[in-house]
Amino acid sequence: MLKNYIKIAFLVLKRRKFFTFISLFAISFTLVVLIVVSAVFDNLLAPMAPEINKGRSLTIFFAEMRGENSIWNGHPGYQLLNNYTRNLPGVELMSIYSESSPAISYVRGQKIVSALRQTDGEYWKILQFKFLAGSPLTTEDEKNANFVAVINQNTQEKFFPGQSAIGQQIEVDNQRFQVIGVVENVSQLHNAAYADIWVPNSTSKNAAYKTELMGRHEALLLTKNPADFPTIKAELAARMKTVEFPIEFKKEYEQINCFADTSLEAFSREAFSSQEANPRPDRFMAILLGLMTLFMLLPAINLININVSRILERASEVGVRKAFGASSRTLVAQFVTENLILTSLGGVLGFVGSILALELINHSSIVQYGGFQINYRIFFYGIIITIFFSLFSGVYPAWRMSKLNPVEALKGGSLR
């Protein structure tokens, strides 16, 4: 029976090629867009190298000082993080590092702009970079202000084409560093890990960063258990009430806050410019899922209309089959199967189109070192979307068709 349904389905698809083209295009285009969006968010939020510990990590990237007439928002300073966020209960490792910033180099008369990040030794224990050569920065490098650097593969190719960079000197913003490690390129969407060049915090040109409450640093906390997140956040909030302001700030500011966020909370905080302790990641997910559902509904409704048109063309066939005893369940099963085949073809085209689209993005400058790919999670999302199209656009028209009166169907009756 199933074999006959499949044969009939392909014959029906060939009968009205324009309708088939519209249906396949609607399914595949929608799937491409949603898979690309899913791949971007998966790259941004899911645990993957080097941020494989996202599930038990918290990031402190936002701070706010408030006074009666003044507000200062931005990244926390090194002093705030170093003095008030260390040894939080439940935290296994903590790293303080700078945000990535542009750094200028000149190689063979050519200007090169690199993303530079300053880190400590713990940074390389929390994040699991894939080393192509050499080794990471260490706590001793930070303590002794050693002028050493880890660079990514792209930087090695720019500075030392066709050579190994290990042991060689690299000049960045008029400072010279010895390259001790080379890692794979890291996507720009990996906020804590992305850079071209990593050097110790202590090699900063200006030591004033050590006295800043507000500045350009962030902290990464690796916890023993995600269940400790609420305790860590509560303790951090309590410590912020004990912060001592420098004399120059006391007249303008009365309190300071910073928050430890999961990756989803951090993204939600940035998306909504939230300055609250709870940035409402549930609201962000609800909006995102709502938008994706609306985006799917439009082509799905279009498919319903096309399927209704197909069924009307086959009213006589339906009448004959019902006259010879075909049950409503059998007819529904046949038409749902036909629609499943159509949506599956659209799904295959959608997956192929998604792979091509992601490759184009990876080789463009839209997202530096994009690294987008279809993994098992994205594949699962794609299957769910395809099933949604199949059921939403096929079940209702099939059910209406099964209710046709055999006599009216033989006369070319309509669905009412």
Side-chain angles (χ1 to χ4, degrees):
M1 185 68 71
L2 179 61
K3 186 176 180 180
N4 291 334
Y5 288 170
I6 294 174
K7 287 181 179 180
I8 294 173
F10 279 105
L11 290 174
V12 171
L13 294 180
K14 291 179 181 179
R15 182 187 303 172
R16 296 294 295 272
K17 295 180 180 179
F18 181 69
F19 279 176
T20 300
F21 169 77
I22 292 176
S23 300
L24 291 176
F25 177 80
I27 296 168
S28 58
F29 178 76
T30 304
L31 193 61
V32 167
V33 173
L34 293 177
I35 284 182
V36 169
V37 171
S38 297
V40 170
F41 279 100
D42 187 75
N43 195 285
L44 184 68
L45 302 174
M48 60 178 62
E51 298 176 344
I52 62 173
N53 291 315
K54 269 189 176 179
R56 57 191 186 102
S57 296
L58 293 171
T59 304
I60 303 174
F61 76 96
F62 172 83
E64 174 192 62
M65 290 204 301
R66 281 182 173 269
E68 186 175 351
N69 300 308
S70 303
I71 297 178
W72 184 353
N73 295 327
H75 287 283
Y78 185 90
Q79 184 187 46
L80 180 69
L81 297 172
N82 188 53
N83 291 1
Y84 296 97
T85 66
R86 290 197 181 277
N87 302 313
L88 287 163
V91 174
E92 185 176 338
L93 286 172
M94 174 183 169
S95 169
I96 301 177
Y97 55 92
S98 72
E99 62 176 329
S100 62
S101 57
I104 307 298
S105 302
Y106 290 91
V107 179
R108 296 176 293 278
Q110 180 182 2
K111 179 181 178 181
I112 296 177
V113 181
S114 305
L116 176 71
R117 191 186 293 274
Q118 295 159 338
T119 77
D120 56 18
E122 286 72 20
Y123 178 88
W124 300 91
K125 298 175 184 178
I126 299 173
L127 299 175
Q128 302 298 309
F129 288 84
K130 182 176 181 179
F131 275 80
L132 304 177
S135 57
L137 304 177
T138 66
T139 303
E140 288 300 310
D141 290 326
E142 161 72 355
K143 180 180 177 181
N144 299 326
N146 294 334
F147 278 75
V148 292
V150 173
I151 64 176
N152 66 2
Q153 186 176 8
N154 183 59
T155 302
Q156 176 175 250
E157 292 169 357
K158 286 182 178 179
F159 282 76
F160 312 103
Q163 305 176 48
S164 170
I166 301 300
Q168 302 212 48
Q169 297 288 317
I170 184 172
E171 186 171 318
V172 184
D173 278 349
N174 297 316
Q175 291 181 301
R176 296 188 70 82
F177 298 89
Q178 183 180 31
V179 178
I180 62 171
V182 180
V183 298
E184 281 192 344
N185 299 329
V186 178
S187 171
Q188 189 175 9
L189 294 184
H190 292 183
N191 183 62
Y194 165 73
D196 294 307
I197 303 170
W198 296 261
V199 300
N201 283 319
S202 53
T203 60
S204 176
K205 289 182 178 181
N206 190 341
Y209 75 91
K210 294 183 178 179
T211 62
E212 293 176 339
L213 290 181
M214 299 291 293
R216 48 185 293 273
H217 282 80
E218 302 175 4
L220 190 59
L221 312 176
L222 180 65
T223 67
K224 297 176 181 177
N225 191 327
D228 294 327
F229 285 177
T231 303
I232 294 170
K233 293 180 180 184
E235 175 63 20
L236 180 61
R239 291 188 184 186
M240 289 301 101
K241 296 177 182 179
T242 68
V243 174
E244 296 183 7
F245 288 91
I247 295 175
E248 63 268 25
F249 288 160
K250 285 185 177 180
K251 292 182 180 180
E252 292 188 68
Y253 302 103
E254 300 169 354
Q255 66 180 58
I256 187 167
N257 294 307
C258 67
F259 309 104
D261 295 323
T262 63
S263 56
L264 179 57
E265 289 170 342
F267 187 82
S268 180
R269 186 179 300 283
E270 288 194 295
F272 296 115
S273 299
S274 175
Q275 300 168 14
E276 304 298 324
N278 181 7
R280 296 290 304 279
D282 55 336
R283 176 182 59 177
F284 168 75
M285 290 302 298
I287 292 174
L288 179 62
L289 291 174
L291 290 174
M292 293 180 72
T293 301
L294 286 174
F295 188 76
M296 286 191 292
L297 282 177
L298 294 177
I301 291 172
N302 179 57
L303 286 176
I304 288 176
N305 293 330
I306 291 176
N307 286 336
V308 169
S309 297
R310 288 182 185 277
I311 289 172
L312 285 175
E313 291 178 350
R314 301 170 65 185
S316 298
E317 174 193 337
V318 173
V320 170
R321 293 201 61 194
K322 296 197 78 169
F324 279 89
S327 66
S328 295
R329 179 179 297 181
T330 300
L331 292 171
V332 168
Q334 176 185 339
F335 283 95
V336 168
T337 301
E338 291 176 8
N339 195 59
L340 179 61
I341 291 171
L342 173 66
T343 54
S344 297
L345 289 174
V348 171
L349 293 175
F351 275 111
V352 172
S354 300
I355 293 172
L356 295 176
L358 291 175
E359 280 300 308
L360 286 174
I361 294 174
N362 287 338
H363 289 89
S364 71
S365 58
I366 297 174
V367 177
Q368 188 78 349
Y369 315 132
F372 302 119
Q373 58 183 341
I374 296 180
N375 53 35
Y376 73 93
R377 289 183 297 270
I378 305 302
F379 182 77
F380 176 75
Y381 300 151
I383 295 297
I384 294 298
I385 294 169
T386 302
I387 293 174
F388 169 85
F389 272 117
S390 178
L391 295 179
F392 190 86
S393 63
V395 172
Y396 175 74
W399 176 78
R400 291 294 303 274
M401 170 275 303
S402 70
K403 297 301 180 182
L404 276 174
N405 182 281
V407 176
E408 292 183 0
L410 287 170
K411 294 179 181 179
S414 59
L415 297 175
R416 294 191 297 269

